[in-house]
Amino acid sequence: MPEMFAQVILPLPLHDAFTYRVPEQWHGQIRPGQRVVVQFGAKKFYAALVFSLSQSAPQNIETKEIIQLLDEEPVVLHQNFELWKWMASYYCCTLGDIFRAALPPGLKLESKSKIMLTGNEEEHPVSEKEFRILEQVKQDVSSLEILQKKLGNNFSYSALKSLLDRNIIRVEEKINSKYKPKTETYLKFHPQITSEEVLEQKIETLQRAKKQEALLFLFCEKIHAFQPGQKSFISKKELLKGAEFSASLLNGLINKKIVKSFQQQVSRIDEKREKQADLNLLNRHQQQALEEIKNCFEKNQVALIHGITASGKTEIYIHLIDEVLKSGRQALYLLPEIALTTQIIERLKNVFGSKVGIYHSRLNSQERVEIWKKVLQFQTNPQQGYQVILGARSALFMPFSKLGLVIVDEEHENSFKQFDPAPRYHARDMAVVLGKQNSAHILLGSATPSYESFFNALTGKYGLVNLTKRHSNVELPEIIIADLKRAWKKKQMRSVLTPELFGLMEEALQNKEQIILFQNRRGYSPFVQCFTCGWIPRCKNCEVSLTYHKYKKRLNCHYCGFSIAMPPECPECGSPEIKTRGFGTEKIEDELKPLFPGVQIARMDLDTTRSKNAFEKIIKNLETKKTDILIGTQMVTKGLDFEHVSVVGILNADNLINFPDFRAHERAYQLISQVSGRAGRKHSRGKVVVQTAQPEHPLVEIIRRQDYTNAFREQMKERQLFKYPPYYRFIKLIVKHKNPENVNRVAGQLADLLRRNRNMKVLGPEFPLVSRIQLWYHKEIWLKIDPLLPLDEVKIFVAQGIETVRRLKENSSCIINIDVDPA
Ligand code: ADP
Ligand code: ZN
Ligand code: ZN
């Protein structure tokens, strides 16, 4: 028998795949994409993923054996691996990093595999070391990790292996404890009931048990007994539901060997739901856009739809998905996590019924495993598997076997980029790669496309389709610029409201219309300050001031979670006068209540949406008009669709416009248009008040005119001049250490080294806006890369630079992260 070796990916940030010997018993069974348990290092066990198989071992290296094969079928497909490889190379990360990001938590196990006795332990002689292991396992020490800890130096890998080989113990995957398939009791005829005659004889014997007989008749009726082609079992719950029969009656039938009960796996996910609605007919403009998209796809694999808010892009997506499903292929519909509300989920489920699965991080790990498996299932059993996935960024990694279409809605959204940990990928860009690898079409959609995507569309890399009419034919809202400085000077402000906004709000409330107010700070006030000496409380772990939360009477750090009670007096000078500074959503809610007596005010931010259904509830209350005014952070900008919102207020546009980042203008424009888009979607034209202290700022005028193309053009001039994306590429390097001197030294050395490459512009090192987070100092180096340079060579050069710096002994405890295309 030839030998066999598996190259496996470990869930660790390691660059290489590691080779293990495959025991003969699994030679016929093992395939890439299956998980195996392996030992790595002296002490740890992991569920690793088989990446490839070979017949020769690496030379001069002793290979360990695979301990256990965990899956009968691959859980990751070769198409997935193609994406992983591409990502690892592009984002300078490891396959292990991607493994950890890609698989649902229930399919990972890290050193916690359970060891169980098989019941054979009496039959075999065991050595001293094996005996020690068995002794522990008998005492219910169940994980490999604990076993190793308990035994210390007495732990022997070869003893463990020998016990496994002789089937005295076995390793169970951890998902058995994390992921338990849900089962239900089902009923069928006992195998002895082979014909109607036999059944009739049995019924005779029931003569005196009238109720049992009645139950048996009901059972026969429900399972269509002996009718060919009909289902021949029923769940116990369904049989006994609503009827006057008890479980003990049923047990009678089971004891008499007429009916047999068995356990069957059922889904946790609501599967009963069938398609409930047909597709909406598209309006004329949507129809035309759909045709244009399809034309684009003839020439170009990627299309961008630039459709104003409430133009009905979602309807177009649904029609495209429908066509892909009819052709027998799968579709992936990506949305930012936060936009995955019941509003959109309902719309898809109504049309596609049980063909659609939803995948996001609020699901528990069991549900995520089930959805993963149902996507896998499509390959072998298309009727049962999922054909459409609506999901957040990590749905990119799902095991699609026949992908035909990838949609990225709200493609401009920043949250498609993963910041930390690696892989620091952009899901929109990866969706394009995924689509291309699978010969699928890719549609990006937004009312305010990212400047990168719009640039790609204008330069012909992507097809471009415009949709400029709202479905209801209502015009985009009117934008009113309100001068904060003037209102302050004239003392016309009511709390945070300019007279313009206050007036429109009163009018809206009189007309029984609703209002959304946007402020991008949560909490009560962004900081507090001693009135006498100017003291400002700061986080002890991070370089930021603490945010005051009035309801909890605490000062919180929004970076690390550190919090202290609000001090009754200044710790520096003893003054009792500590003033709140600036406005968070909580304070605005507080101050608005007395201004609008009897009006229902709600707040939507991270603090009010922590509990499981809170978000949904806030949305419901707005839909049913229980809420009149909604105050919120970024959350209110994401694709929400309400009929009766007529006024939107942006309380302070200045902190958006003045943000120190090369994307500040792009972001400010996007955010303001997206919030504005919540106004006047269905009935009449809405109004948006943008409050600013710099009404003369050029961007403010562009916002007022809602002129996306002009905003884009203006920015492109600047980007070209300063060599910013999309004209140049950025790679950001982040050096981290708890000691600022180390950070300074290492970042300095690294920047000097990189500057030797004259093709590349090196900016920094510089401390970012928040220079310390959770005790770690950060320093950034930005590399500007000419698009004509071969990116692969640049990355190799950078990686070598990092290696060189890191090899110095005094630098070894520094962390250096690479972020390609930082957001
Ligand atoms: P967008 O995603 O472009 O902001 P939506 O797809 O959410 O817009 O559509 C806005 C509203 O108009 C939704 O309430 C949607 O149900 C409705 N709508 C859009 N197109 C149609 C259509 N063809 N038929 C019926 N309703 C539509
Ligand atoms: Zn003080
Ligand atoms: Zn902190």
Side-chain angles (χ1 to χ4, degrees), residues 530 532-535 570 572-575:
C530 169
T532 312
C533 77
W535 171 79
C570 172
E572 296 287 315
C573 73
S575 158

Side-chain angles (χ1 to χ4, degrees), residues 29 239 243 252 290 295 363 405 468 473 483 530 546 577 664 670 693:
Q29 223 181 322
L239 179 68
L290 180 66
N295 282 340
L363 300 171
L405 175 69
T468 54
N473 252 326
D483 188 345
C530 169
L546 295 172
E577 270 195 284
Q670 281 167 352

Side-chain angles (χ1 to χ4, degrees), residues 279 290 293-298 300-305 313-335 348 352 375 378 386-391 395-396 398 400-409 428 430-445:
L279 277 71
L290 180 66
I293 291 168
K294 286 197 264 181
N295 282 340
C296 282
F297 284 156
E298 305 268 301
N300 209 319
Q301 228 175 317
V302 192
L304 170 68
I305 175 164
K313 295 182 288 297
T314 317
E315 295 299 332
I316 297 178
Y317 304 151
I318 291 175
H319 279 253
L320 274 171
I321 292 172
D322 191 54
E323 289 183 20
V324 170
L325 299 199
K326 285 186 178 133
S327 76
R329 300 183 76 185
Q330 288 168 296
L332 168 62
Y333 183 165
L334 287 182
L335 267 171
L348 253 80
F352 300 117
V375 174
F378 184 77
Y386 282 139
Q387 206 170 352
V388 191
I389 286 290
L390 172 62
L396 270 179
M398 301 211 79
F400 297 104
S401 45
K402 283 183 87 177
L403 200 57
L405 175 69
V406 184
I407 292 169
V408 185
D409 194 15
R428 179 229 306 143
M430 283 310 94
V432 171
V433 173
L434 176 74
K436 291 197 166 165
Q437 287 181 341
N438 289 274
S439 310
H441 291 137
I442 302 120
L443 179 63
L444 312 178

Side-chain angles (χ1 to χ4, degrees), residues 539-544 546 557-562 773-774:
C539 178
K540 73 175 170 62
N541 307 320
C542 313
E543 209 46 55
V544 292
L546 295 172
C557 172
H558 287 181
Y559 284 83
C560 73
F562 169 78
I773 298 173
Q774 285 192 303

